[in-house]
């Protein structure tokens, strides 16, 4: 049988044509996905998060991997909360979420949809300090000050924990409400690291506020 020589396709040409076809299909799929979701197909997944921070309502569209700490600092510009180790080991990023203190670097923002968050900016302001902030000033409970926002948020929540009767690892009698002792305070504040070593002054400040509340 005679072979027609009108159409001549080389092996290299065939491979190139196939690659172009695959690329065209991929681009079309990507464009369709972008049109459907409103964001690049290869972009990070996002979610809308609504929460109340220091009494103000906020709604953010965030990468679902965004920590609460980064949402506060980078998106809401509340830089009072500090990023220390970023591994939940130093407590510098402590904030209060629905009344409980947490390490905001270990918590995703999307986990707090609907929550009420309190940062150091929400406790008091210059000229109208929270009693714990005033006590830290009076007792010199800070030195470089970097850990201070987390220390103060944690201290406020610690006194609420004790008042609510929540025991710690050093509570000796679980049948009795825990008391504000230096041992209880040191145990409960052990997750907040002060590189300057102002621990004694910090305990004095917390004890002072606890006495005023009693």
């Amino acid at each position: 049988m005679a072979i027609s020589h009108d159409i001549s396709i080389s092996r290299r040409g065939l491979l190139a044509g196939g690659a172009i076809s695959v690329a065209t299909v991929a681009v079309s799929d990507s464009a369709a996905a972008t049109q459907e979701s409103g964001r690049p197909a290869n972009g990070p997944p996002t979610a809308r998060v609504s929460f109340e921070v220091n009494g103000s309502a906020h709604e953010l569209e965030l990468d679902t991997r965004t920590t609460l700490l980064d949402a506060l600092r980078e998106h809401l510009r509340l830089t009072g909360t500090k990023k220390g180790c970023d591994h939940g080991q130093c407590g510098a990023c402590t904030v209060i979420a629905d009344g409980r203190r947490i390490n905001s670097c270990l918590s995703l923002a999307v986990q707090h949809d609907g929550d009420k968050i309190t940062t150091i900016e929400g406790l008091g302001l210059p000229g109208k300090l929270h009693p714990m902030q005033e006590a830290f000033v009076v007792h010199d409970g800070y030195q470089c000050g970097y850990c201070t926002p987390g220390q103060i948020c944690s201290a406020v929540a610690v006194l609420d924990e004790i008042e609510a009767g929540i025991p710690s690892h050093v509570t000796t009698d679980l049948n009795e409400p825990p008391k504000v002792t230096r041992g209880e305070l040191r145990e409960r504040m052990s997750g907040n690291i002060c590189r300057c070593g102002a621990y004694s002054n910090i305990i004095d400040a917390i004890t002072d506020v606890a006495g005023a509340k009693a």
Side-chain angles (χ1 to χ4, degrees), residues 40-76:
N42 295 326
T46 63
R48 187 162 293 277
V49 183
S50 300
F51 44 38
E52 183 179 307
V53 181
N54 300 332
S56 299
H58 294 277
E59 187 169 314
L60 301 172
E61 182 75 22
L62 296 173
D63 182 331
T64 54
R65 299 165 296 183
T66 303
T67 65
L68 178 59
L69 172 62
D70 286 338
L72 294 171
R73 288 181 55 86
E74 306 300 331
H75 294 267
L76 299 182

Side-chain angles (χ1 to χ4, degrees), residues 52 68 94-102 107 112 115-119 157:
E52 183 179 307
L68 178 59
T94 302
V95 299
I96 302 171
D98 281 348
R100 298 181 61 186
R101 55 193 172 126
I102 62 169
S107 191
H112 296 282
D115 285 359
K116 293 183 178 179
I117 310 296
T118 302
T119 69

Side-chain angles (χ1 to χ4, degrees), residues 15-40:
L15 291 175
I20 291 172
S21 298
V22 170
T24 302
V25 170
V27 169
S28 298
D29 289 347
S30 176
T34 299
Q35 186 174 9
E36 182 178 342
S37 66
R39 60 177 171 76

